[in-house]
């Protein structure tokens, strides 16, 4: 076998006055030995990464199937590894790999999947619990999505979401409830949809437009006028402009026979006016007033707030009394943090004793109004002018 030299430097530059370099060291090593050592290193690295065995093969397959979105191939590999002829009795995957499988099943194309994914998802989840892998909120949510898509799985999906805190110490999120609500909407189960929303409130989860649109639709189909009214106001507070799908749900309700008959024949006009003022001037929230067919059309609103359909000017909406009180409390909290507490407390007591004043004008701000120029300053003239004008 030929021997190849390995030469190590450094080499002095030509013509330089540097000191002579260290003696050259030559190493003679057979090329076959070098290749064998490199192969051995690669094998050790591969083994160190878990490169052999059914677990690693399944992991690579799951990663590849997740990349391609192939739920059928992923489940075939999982079933072969769990119960096939070459199954490993102690097979255990990482929690995120179980989640990969469940996520694939939740988004699987029903035409490409040979059977309904719900049964496969249950097998994966049972194996996960048996292997001692801790489920996460994403685990339960993916499982609920798969099960809720089954025609008979809405109740089971709600059970999964509603008990995840008690069973696994997990807090449900908005995405956990959405597939359950959609399932009850498809089934026309209005009462169960309301129960989902009640559980959301108990979990401090607020519905957003898609969930409120679902609740509106199931309420409208059930002819529950009070619930439609309730969810309309929740939608009003949650979003500034509804999507096309939500607008179609609203239009469908107002064109229905139930909407035409919903409403009180008599009501207290003064009570309605007081309620409008308390709610910021935009609505009374006392339910449907009067009855009859609604005129439903899509119109534009001009820059001055005038409706192009009826010609009326839309009411200017302010924050309601509850939000006003929250705003005042937050301002008081900031003032107590920054100002002398005794002085601000005395000011609050003075305000309470002089409720006849509707506005308090800050003299310093008036004096400095439009004074941000070279010769500007504290203007007593502006303070005096405002005292005559305001008071």
């Amino acid at each position: 076998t030929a021997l190849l030299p390995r030469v190590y430097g450094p080499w002095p530059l030509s013509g330089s006055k540097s000191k002579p370099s260290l003696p050259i060291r030559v190493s003679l090593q057979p090329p076959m030995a070098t290749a064998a050592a490199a192969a051995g290193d690669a094998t050790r690295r591969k083994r160190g990464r878990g490169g052999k065995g059914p677990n690693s093969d399944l992991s690579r397959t799951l990663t590849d199937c997740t990349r391609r979105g192939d739920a059928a191939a992923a489940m075939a590999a999982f079933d072969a590894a769990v119960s096939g002829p070459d199954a490993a009795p102690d097979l255990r995957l990482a929690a995120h790999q179980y989640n990969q499988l469940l996520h694939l099943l939740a988004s699987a194309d029903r035409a490409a999947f040979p059977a309904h994914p719900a049964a496969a998802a249950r097998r994966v989840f049972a194996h996960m619990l048996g292997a001692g892998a801790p489920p996460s909120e994403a685990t339960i949510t993916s499982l609920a999505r798969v099960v809720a898509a089954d025609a008979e799985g809405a109740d089971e999906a709600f059970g999964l979401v509603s008990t995840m805190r008690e069973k696994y110490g997990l807090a449900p999120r908005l995405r956990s409830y959405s597939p359950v609500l959609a399932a009850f909407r498809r089934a026309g189960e209005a009462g169960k949809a309301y129960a989902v929303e009640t559980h959301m409130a108990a979990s401090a989860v607020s519905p957003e437009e898609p969930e409120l649109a679902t609740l509106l639709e199931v309420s409208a189909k059930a002819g529950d006028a009070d619930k439609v009214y309730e969810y309309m106001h929740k939608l009003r507070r949650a979003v500034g402009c509804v999507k096309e799908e939500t607008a179609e749900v609203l239009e469908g309700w107002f064109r229905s026979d139930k909407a035409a008959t919903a409403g009180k024949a008599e009501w207290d006009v003064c009570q309605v006016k007081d309620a409008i003022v308390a709610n910021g001037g935009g609505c009374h929230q006392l339910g449907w007033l009067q009855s009859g067919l609604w005129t439903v059309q899509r119109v534009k609103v001009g820059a001055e707030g005038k409706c192009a359909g009826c010609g009326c000017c839309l009411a200017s909406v302010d924050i309601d009394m509850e939000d006003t009180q929250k705003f005042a409390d937050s301002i008081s909290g900031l003032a107590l943090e920054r100002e002398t507490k005794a002085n601000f407390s005395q000011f609050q007591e003075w305000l309470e004793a002089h409720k006849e004043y509707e506005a308090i004008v800050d003299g310093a701000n008036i004096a400095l109004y439009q004074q941000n120029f070279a010769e500007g300053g504290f203007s007593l003239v502006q303070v005096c002018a405002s005292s005559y004008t305001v008071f």
Side-chain angles (χ1 to χ4, degrees), residues 77-113:
F78 175 79
D79 289 333
V82 171
S83 57
D86 301 326
D90 57 346
L91 177 67
R92 174 192 170 104
L93 297 176
H96 79 274
Q97 292 172 317
Y98 289 107
N99 288 341
Q100 277 182 325
L101 267 171
L102 291 172
H103 178 73
L104 276 173
L105 292 169
S107 55
D109 184 1
R110 297 296 184 265
F113 203 82

Side-chain angles (χ1 to χ4, degrees), residues 167-189:
K167 288 184 176 180
Y168 311 109
L170 303 172
R173 297 168 60 181
L174 180 60
R175 65 181 184 181
S176 308
Y177 293 100
S178 297
V180 182
L181 279 174
F184 285 137
R185 179 198 62 199
R186 291 191 299 269
E189 297 279 1

Side-chain angles (χ1 to χ4, degrees), residues 249-264:
V249 172
L250 292 169
E251 289 177 340
W253 160 254
F254 285 107
R255 289 193 174 99
S256 68
D257 295 335
K258 187 65 178 179
T261 58
K264 301 176 182 178

Side-chain angles (χ1 to χ4, degrees), residues 59-79:
S59 299
R60 286 192 294 271
T61 302
L62 289 180
T63 301
D64 181 61
C65 291
T66 302
R67 190 180 299 112
R68 294 184 288 110
D70 193 343
M75 274 309 301
F78 175 79
D79 289 333

